[in-house]
Amino acid sequence: MVRRVAVIGAGVGGLASVKCCLDEGLEPTCFERSEDIGGVWRYTDSMDDRRVSVYHSVVTNTSKEMSCFSDFPFPEDFPSYLPHSLLLEYFRMYARHFDLLRHIHFKTTVLSVRKHPDFATSGQWEVVTEADGTHESHTFDAVMVCTGHYQEPYLPLESFPGIDTRFKGQYLHSQEYRDVEAFRGKRVLVVGIGNTGGDLSVELSRVAAKVFLSARSNTWVISRVSSRGFPFDMVSTTRFNQFLDWLLPSALTRRIRFRKFNSWFHHANYGLASTKSSKFKMIVNEELPFCLLSGTVVLKPSVKEFTERSAVFKDGTTEENIDVVLFATGYISPFPFLEESVRSLFDDNRSLYKAVFPPQLEKPTLAIIGLIQLTGSIMVGSEMQARWVTGIFAGWNKLPPASRMMAEVLKRKPPVKRNPSERENLKMSFISYMDEVAACAGVKPSVLRLLLTDPRLALAIFFGPCTPYQYRLVGRRAWNGARGAILTQWQRVLKPLRTRVVDEDPDCSSGWRWMWLLALPVALTAGFLLSKHPQLGWRLWAG
């Protein structure tokens, strides 16, 4: 019987894990090496401890309604997309509300996590920590690793000949970036076109003499602002859209998606992406197209090599007088505190059962929380993982046999190992993954059942955004505020915008009322088909 649980890290995954442990009557002890909660979302100017944090100007890519803890909505006056300061404030509210801070040991580093000598029978772990120069050994019944993706910068210098031998300028990883001042008036090359590379290119273009952005993959750029001015993820991440993805041929859904992306601007004209490519990724950036159009950012192909002051690209072109190279090449998650026999069981989340459990362990008492890439909020996915894991630790839920877990892992593992900068291509469908883990945890809502008992709620769940509250309607730890939160989610989106109210023609929204009236038969059919095919999910966004 698991009682004492070590939680490593007090970021969003760690906070959710501590709360879920308390919900299940477990005894969590959280170890956080810094002096505060928040993980990467706690911005700091200092880089003395090499702690990874967001840059000063960062804003969330997922909206507040799609990113909140499932039983704790954001304040209604918070904007839909949040700067790091407001997100950290929300984490503090959550920690205070559920009294989590007393379970967290700050300025405490986990040095090692090793199997107890009798692990095969007890499943226990020996955890060694260090605080104020003092080492301490603990024994725990289970461990939840909540250190996430952003542990160490991935800087593949060997892939860029000359960067550390001939190049006379400065080079650094985006982990060292805080603001624009150090780049004022300089010619900057940003390597990597993920969300970070796109953001930094735009920001630097305001003060740098010139910014070049090197991209090697097809990249579709989307805006946070979607139809009728609503958040993109709330409009696109719906069970109805998921149903269409399953129902229609993948070639057709891809064509529809590309057409929608190109309706904003034609990506091929900008050198970003082609509809002919089967491999692509998406980034969120409203300003990058204008920067490319105005010439303040120049898109370039992959770098071939560096000379003393210039970068040579694989298309044969050269850009002279480069002052700074900024690598936005991602991060790795080495888990240095885990003993090698355990660490060798998984090289990434695709070696883990449901991206959480190492299936080869004799006892399921080690869980990796938040090591996922989703088309939606990782924060929400981390909380769902923690709910499932703590149910298993508490003993009311169980994992399937190891052979079955291994078979599923092998089936879903990609044939070729990708480097961290290509993880975007391996993103899992948010709804599919959430539903799959929720089904394991016994908290997945049934649209078909709700259609018979609460049609209004069922339609909101099927046609509306798949917000986290959906996973608090049924099962253990159901929240009696979930229904109300779902039915008022659009009001919370609009509330911070109502700083100046104008009159609106009531006929403008009449079409939506007709849509709801016609939606019932569609939802009934979809609910029936989905109930007959529970394994719809786990499809990648790329199809």
Side-chain angles (χ1 to χ4, degrees):
M1 179 66 180
V2 169
R3 294 300 302 174
R4 300 185 67 240
V5 181
V7 178
I8 303 175
V12 61
L15 294 176
S17 295
V18 171
K19 193 261 186 183
C20 291
C21 282
L22 295 174
D23 285 347
E24 294 295 345
L26 306 175
E27 300 170 8
T29 301
C30 180
F31 300 109
E32 168 55 45
R33 67 177 180 176
S34 72
E35 68 275 12
D36 204 353
I37 63 171
V40 297
W41 287 102
R42 184 172 65 82
Y43 171 79
T44 175
D45 289 319
S46 172
M47 291 183 292
D48 294 341
D49 59 357
R50 304 298 294 174
R51 188 181 71 85
V52 176
S53 82
V54 294
Y55 38 95
H56 187 267
S57 61
V58 76
V59 175
T60 58
N61 286 337
T62 54
S63 63
K64 66 176 183 179
E65 293 299 312
M66 300 294 291
S67 305
C68 64
F69 294 108
S70 57
D71 56 354
F72 194 75
F74 279 92
E76 64 176 8
D77 59 339
F78 274 33
S80 284
Y81 292 103
L82 301 154
H84 58 80
S85 57
L86 281 183
L87 191 58
L88 183 59
E89 182 180 339
Y90 170 71
F91 293 158
R92 298 195 196 284
M93 293 175 184
Y94 181 77
R96 288 194 299 267
H97 182 79
F98 293 107
D99 194 20
L100 306 181
L101 295 179
R102 63 189 178 93
H103 300 279
I104 304 174
H105 295 232
F106 293 107
K107 295 185 178 181
T108 303
T109 301
V110 174
L111 300 178
S112 67
V113 176
R114 296 182 176 277
K115 293 179 180 178
H116 195 273
D118 65 352
F119 179 82
T121 55
S122 70
Q124 291 183 325
W125 298 88
E126 292 181 344
V127 178
V128 178
T129 61
E130 185 271 325
D132 296 326
T134 302
H135 291 200
E136 188 174 354
S137 182
H138 319 257
T139 299
F140 288 98
D141 300 314
V143 175
M144 300 176 76
V145 179
C146 307
T147 50
H149 280 291
Y150 306 103
Q151 295 182 31
E152 291 185 11
Y154 175 66
L155 192 56
L157 298 182
E158 66 280 0
S159 299
F160 301 92
I163 185 66
D164 56 349
T165 55
R166 297 192 298 269
F167 185 61
K168 301 299 183 182
Q170 178 189 6
Y171 69 87
L172 69 159
H173 189 273
S174 59
Q175 182 257 342
E176 301 176 66
Y177 178 88
R178 290 299 181 267
D179 57 42
V180 299
E181 288 308 313
F183 302 86
R184 189 173 295 276
K186 296 183 178 180
R187 290 169 62 84
V188 183
L189 170 62
V190 178
V191 178
I193 194 175
N195 284 308
T196 299
D199 283 351
L200 299 189
S201 296
V202 168
E203 184 163 289
L204 291 171
S205 71
R206 301 186 181 108
V207 301
K210 198 72 172 181
V211 175
F212 303 95
L213 176 58
S214 171
R216 67 177 180 182
S217 59
N218 277 271
T219 304
W220 297 94
V221 183
I222 60 175
S223 170
R224 294 174 179 86
V225 185
S226 188
S227 303
R228 296 165 59 89
F230 288 113
F232 173 82
D233 55 355
M234 292 188 73
V235 174
S236 62
T237 311
T238 70
R239 295 183 181 278
F240 176 66
N241 286 342
Q242 181 202 30
F243 172 68
L244 289 180
D245 277 349
W246 171 78
L247 184 65
L248 300 175
S250 59
L252 179 58
T253 58
R254 182 175 303 217
R255 184 174 179 180
I256 293 171
R257 188 173 294 127
F258 288 167
R259 184 182 294 271
K260 187 173 183 179
F261 292 159
N262 275 332
S263 67
W264 182 25
F265 69 96
H266 199 275
H267 284 64
N269 289 344
Y270 288 66
L272 283 163
S274 167
T275 56
K276 296 179 180 180
S277 175
S278 60
K279 295 181 180 180
F280 65 92
K281 63 182 179 182
M282 295 191 310
I283 65 170
V284 178
N285 199 305
E286 293 77 27
E287 299 179 71
L288 182 58
F290 175 72
C291 288
L292 295 172
L293 196 62
S294 63
T296 55
V297 175
V298 176
L299 196 65
K300 302 293 293 186
S302 299
V303 176
K304 179 183 178 182
E305 63 177 337
F306 287 93
T307 63
E308 287 190 359
R309 302 297 304 180
S310 55
V312 181
F313 299 91
K314 290 189 176 179
D315 64 351
T317 60
T318 300
E319 294 297 341
E320 305 284 351
N321 301 317
I322 300 296
D323 298 302
V324 184
V325 179
L326 181 58
F327 287 97
T329 45
Y331 293 81
I332 57 175
S333 305
F335 303 108
F337 48 82
L338 289 177
E339 66 173 274
E340 178 57 31
S341 65
V342 175
R343 194 164 64 244
S344 63
L345 296 179
F346 60 97
D347 51 5
D348 57 28
N349 67 352
R350 296 307 174 105
S351 301
L352 300 170
Y353 180 64
K354 309 292 187 194
V356 175
F357 286 101
Q360 304 97 320
L361 279 179
E362 304 96 308
K363 296 288 184 179
T365 55
L366 174 69
I368 312 298
I369 303 298
L371 192 66
I372 45 175
Q373 286 287 315
L374 301 176
T375 58
S377 171
I378 295 177
M379 294 187 287
V380 177
S382 298
E383 185 201 25
M384 179 58 70
Q385 290 176 333
R387 293 176 67 188
W388 175 44
V389 166
T390 52
I392 291 170
F393 288 171
W396 65 264
N397 202 347
K398 294 187 182 298
L399 289 174
S403 58
R404 200 167 117 205
M405 291 193 289
M406 277 301 302
E408 181 173 316
V409 167
L410 293 174
K411 180 180 178 181
R412 291 175 172 173
K413 192 172 183 180
V416 179
K417 186 176 179 180
R418 307 289 183 91
N419 66 50
S421 63
E422 294 178 310
R423 282 191 313 208
E424 186 79 20
N425 296 318
L426 297 178
K427 279 191 173 183
M428 296 177 285
S429 162
F430 174 78
I431 297 179
S432 296
Y433 182 76
M434 288 291 291
D435 277 357
E436 189 156 352
V437 178
C440 294
V443 297
K444 179 186 174 183
S446 169
V447 177
L448 191 59
R449 188 175 295 115
L450 283 172
L451 279 170
L452 303 176
T453 59
D454 194 340
R456 182 188 177 197
L457 179 61
L459 292 175
I461 286 176
F462 186 72
F463 288 100
C466 185
T467 45
Y469 323 118
Q470 294 190 12
Y471 300 99
R472 289 285 179 176
L473 291 169
V474 297
R476 288 176 67 87
R477 301 294 167 186
W479 175 45
N480 59 13
R483 183 183 187 275
I486 293 169
L487 296 179
T488 57
Q489 56 200 3
W490 293 110
Q491 297 174 28
R492 287 190 298 280
V493 172
L494 295 175
K495 179 65 164 62
L497 299 175
R498 300 299 193 190
T499 53
R500 178 176 179 267
V501 180
V502 295
D503 293 331
E504 183 181 14
D505 184 353
D507 292 338
C508 290
S509 59
S510 61
W512 289 94
R513 288 196 292 269
W514 280 108
M515 186 199 77
W516 287 108
L517 289 173
L518 296 172
L520 187 59
V522 177
L524 280 168
T525 303
F528 174 77
L529 289 172
L530 289 169
S531 68
K532 294 296 184 183
H533 300 275
Q535 297 301 321
L536 283 182
W538 210 273
R539 292 184 58 192
L540 300 184
W541 181 265

